[in-house]
Amino acid sequence: MYHRDRSPCSALAVSRSVERPRAAVLLLHGGHEYGTSAPGAWNLPAARMVPFERAVRRATKEHDVLIGRVRYRCRGWNGGRADAAHDAERALHELARVAGDVPTVLVGHSMGARAALRAAGGAHVRGVVGLAPWCPPEDSVRHLDGRHVVLLHGDRDRVTDPKASADFLARARAAGADASFVEMRGSGHAMLRRSAAWHELTTSAVTGLLGLTPLSSPFTGEGRLLSGA
């Protein structure tokens, strides 16, 4: 059995270890545009991902799936430093040492989704599930060729832009990604309204992308733009 790495220098915090992992899920919580101080032991962006982690645990309980979280050095993205993206890449390298060459899905919210999308070129990354993602138009999509990208975004989000997510998906699709967008009607950035639907769609995407269950209809069909899920 693998032990959780509590080293402050580690970018990976393993929350569910298995003896012989067949797949892995890595969760990335949100943050701030700027901020160089370290996140506290308990903070709201991290708390928002707790029910998603629980849902993924339940959905994968019959499978040998390692679950981990990215541990950020800084609260913020911090412009060209892209601190969260570098932490995501470090966590993926650590995950490969712990779990081996297993298919991996990244699940990120807001800044965490941006970091996940940036790190999705990693050798073992099967796909990304982005929740209310931060998708600036300058972010590259070339490395997403051959990857699965699923973005869920509330139409009442006032923190990150649903249209920017749809535009990002269109660019990713043109670059060769298998990409789907789901508009969560009536929901905002905190994902509290229709939370059950958020959790169900996220876990369905994760298990489908890992090949544990059939990929459900909202995430199939190349080039589909979906709304009203």
Side-chain angles (χ1 to χ4, degrees):
M1 185 73 70
Y2 295 110
H3 297 285
R4 301 176 185 181
D5 188 345
R6 294 182 174 85
S7 165
C9 297
S10 175
L12 174 66
V14 176
S15 58
R16 183 174 74 187
S17 58
V18 293
E19 190 163 351
R20 292 183 177 86
R22 299 182 61 185
V25 179
L26 193 59
L27 296 110
L28 304 90
H29 67 72
H32 303 278
E33 186 171 0
Y34 296 100
T36 56
S37 62
W42 182 258
N43 61 83
L44 183 58
R48 286 192 178 116
M49 291 302 290
V50 169
F52 287 92
E53 181 175 339
R54 289 174 179 161
V56 170
R57 278 176 170 271
R58 289 192 298 269
T60 60
K61 65 181 180 180
E62 302 299 329
H63 306 277
D64 294 325
V65 178
L66 182 148
I67 299 175
R69 299 185 299 269
V70 173
R71 181 185 287 135
Y72 301 130
R73 292 166 296 172
C74 303
R75 294 177 182 272
W77 184 269
N78 299 318
R81 286 175 41 164
D83 287 313
H86 292 303
D87 291 336
E89 291 167 353
R90 289 195 307 126
L92 283 170
H93 287 304
E94 294 176 25
L95 178 62
R97 292 198 298 270
V98 170
D101 301 340
V102 298
T104 301
V105 169
L106 310 179
V107 181
H109 173 241
S110 194
M111 182 190 78
R114 186 182 185 185
L117 290 165
R118 181 74 70 91
H124 309 302
V125 176
R126 181 73 57 84
V128 173
V129 182
L131 312 173
W134 177 19
C135 295
E138 67 269 19
D139 281 7
S140 175
V141 295
R142 289 177 294 178
H143 63 293
L144 298 174
D145 182 16
R147 300 297 193 273
H148 292 270
V149 179
V150 174
L151 300 186
L152 284 66
H153 214 135
D155 63 349
R156 296 186 181 179
D157 197 323
R158 299 295 180 263
V159 178
T160 55
D161 184 5
K163 183 179 182 303
S165 291
D167 291 345
F168 183 92
L169 253 295
R171 292 195 295 119
R173 198 176 293 133
D178 185 345
S180 301
F181 178 88
V182 179
E183 181 185 68
M184 304 296 288
R185 290 184 178 172
S187 191
H189 194 70
M191 307 176 292
L192 296 176
R193 285 176 176 258
R194 307 187 63 208
S195 59
W198 281 94
H199 302 157
E200 180 181 355
L201 285 165
T202 298
T203 55
S204 176
V206 167
T207 58
L209 294 180
L210 289 177
L212 305 178
T213 60
L215 196 60
S216 63
S217 58
F219 315 123
T220 58
E222 185 177 355
R224 288 183 71 183
L225 181 68
L226 301 158
S227 63

